[in-house]
Amino acid sequence: MRLKQTYNSIIQMLHRLPKRYTAIAAGVMGVLLIAVALWPRTVEFSYGQQTCFRQPMLAPGAIKSVGSKAFTLTPEAKKIGPVSLAAARVCATALAAPTAGDHRVLLSLFGLPIGKVITVRVVAHPTASVAVLDKPLPVSKPLELPLSATDAVFRYRLGVGDKTQQCTTGEQKIRCDITKLSLEQGKKYQLSIARYFGDQKVATIAQKEVETLSAVAVTDLSVKRDETVFTKPRTLDATLDKEVMNAAATLVKIEGDKKEALPVEVTPEGKLLHLSWGEDLVRQATYELTISQVEAKDGSSLTEPYILPFKTSGGPKVKSVSANKTGVALGSTVVVTFDQPLSDKQDIAKVVTTSGGATLTKRQGNQVFVALAGVPRCGDFSIKITDELQSNFDVQGGTAWNFAGRTICHTIQTIGYSAKGRAINAYLFGSGPIAVVYTGAIHGSELSTRSLMLRWIDELEVNARSIPADKTVVVVPMINPDGVAAGSRVNARNVDLNRNFGTSDWTKDITTVSNAPFAGGGGESPLSEPESQAIAGLVGRMRPQLVLSYHSIGGLLQANQAGQSNIRAQQYASMSGYSNQTGSSTTFEYAITGTADDYYAQQYGVGSIVIELGSHSYHQFERNQKAMWAMLK
């Protein structure tokens, strides 16, 4: 308004002047206008937006930008149809990467070397802060670098290894979508960020080795992998090693090839994920929980979905029972242990029943106790559990269980003691009038014979019902316990027990198995040793139908030719494969006197077979098993 008033005042003044002065004044005004139009001007170049300045002009189409390879000046023309009549502004456009300093551009009529000089003043390029690269980078978030100024002039490109990604700029920052490069978490990479003008690389603003953030890891869960869950859970907690912003999870019930999904609500709380579903899980079913996505506060995530398979239980199932099927100690208590605590509200007697004299005594935690005080020797008993047994979470199903057992069938008699006071025990099975005796380890170094007798005791215990009713089976695992303890052939008083029996050929001084003289090896007198007395007394009292004396390591057998021993020896040899040397005087290459088996024949008329196992250490039970049973028939 003030300019318009000034203009009107000047016009009025010129009208009052004489005409000759008016012409002079008009000329001066024209010169001044031309001077103003051509007066040089400086404009500040802007990186953040287009650099434009006010410059009114007529016929802008005739105005050319000359004199500079760095910038071009373009009037913003106002057109009427195709004709450009005037322009109010001129904009500077960079032709090459701007460099700091003053750049002269001439606005010229028709490109003539005269016109208005415009100086485009360029400050230094915007600088980027790369401090963020000193810390591990998330691979799930864009990389952002602060700029000292908004930059709409240059382009930026991120390079990681052999992968590149175009970046964007705005609001004083460079934003590079590193997520598209598919980088691994917890790895080191060579990273660069370059500045471009068009397709021309101008500068590298960052180049260094960087490390990506380590992945989020699940460190603990309230349900373990492959666990059988006894409770009725509607929630599950997962603990992670980092604070979490959000996550997603699914829960599916698996039945063969079918999968049934349940909706899961996920609530992050610090390093915890609370996962919940709104209903009880089906019992005795297989489930799979998948934590599919996790975003930590630092931008890291899972390397892959975390999968947790688990099962739901049925009712309590028997985990163990303290008794074997056979050989259960008389008067003992059988403890049945379940895989989970039992309900203390349920009447246990309605779901746990016993027979054969066994009695249910109590329930405690995850166990029930059954007393066998009323079960006789070699008596059968049973424990039965129905499918209605409940856990302390009131879960039932799949619990039915039966146990049939038998108490110990043998008795143990101590028939004597060794020179050092060790007991010599006999194991008795059955109650028939006819006895068959099996003995081992009369020589303490022949350990395979003791092992065989122990295996035979176990066999008889398991199969006690197979012992003929007219038989009593007697097993003496070791006649020479002192020798077994010392690993010695002789007893503790240096006597070969199988040379100490009162036979017609007994002698005090004997030879060893290598035919070396062994003074006093037969004992001071027949049956001078407590071990010899013990086995002789047993055979004398019982007068068995047959005695089987086990030795090693000849791999043969020989009958004492009393009673049925010859026939039995032939039978044993055919079933075991041992060579039958009965009647041979050259079977052993050393002198043998005062043996137990000759004593049984001469003193009691009891038949006996010496069986020489083929190994000092291995019991060869499988080779002897059928023949040993055959001796009882």
Side-chain angles (χ1 to χ4, degrees), residues 179-215:
T179 64
K180 295 182 178 179
L181 300 183
S182 301
L183 303 184
E184 295 184 46
Q185 300 184 92
K187 298 283 187 179
K188 292 184 178 180
Y189 293 94
Q190 287 295 329
L191 178 145
S192 65
I193 299 177
R195 175 181 281 150
Y196 285 80
F197 184 84
D199 294 329
Q200 177 189 1
K201 183 177 178 180
V202 177
T204 298
I205 64 172
Q207 185 165 356
K208 65 180 300 183
E209 183 180 71
V210 297
E211 184 176 359
T212 57
L213 280 170
S214 60

Side-chain angles (χ1 to χ4, degrees), residues 30-103:
V31 171
L32 288 175
L33 289 173
I34 292 172
V36 169
L38 298 179
W39 193 266
R41 183 172 182 178
T42 298
V43 296
E44 299 288 339
F45 179 74
S46 171
Y47 286 98
Q49 59 187 357
Q50 191 173 23
T51 302
C52 296
F53 55 93
R54 183 172 178 78
Q55 182 64 51
M57 63 178 65
L58 298 174
I63 303 301
K64 305 297 181 183
S65 175
V66 297
S68 175
K69 294 181 179 180
F71 290 94
T72 184
L73 300 176
T74 305
E76 282 190 342
K78 295 190 184 275
K79 294 183 177 182
I80 298 178
V83 180
S84 299
L85 297 179
R89 295 198 318 164
V90 174
C91 296
T93 303
L95 299 174
T99 56
D102 290 345
H103 301 269

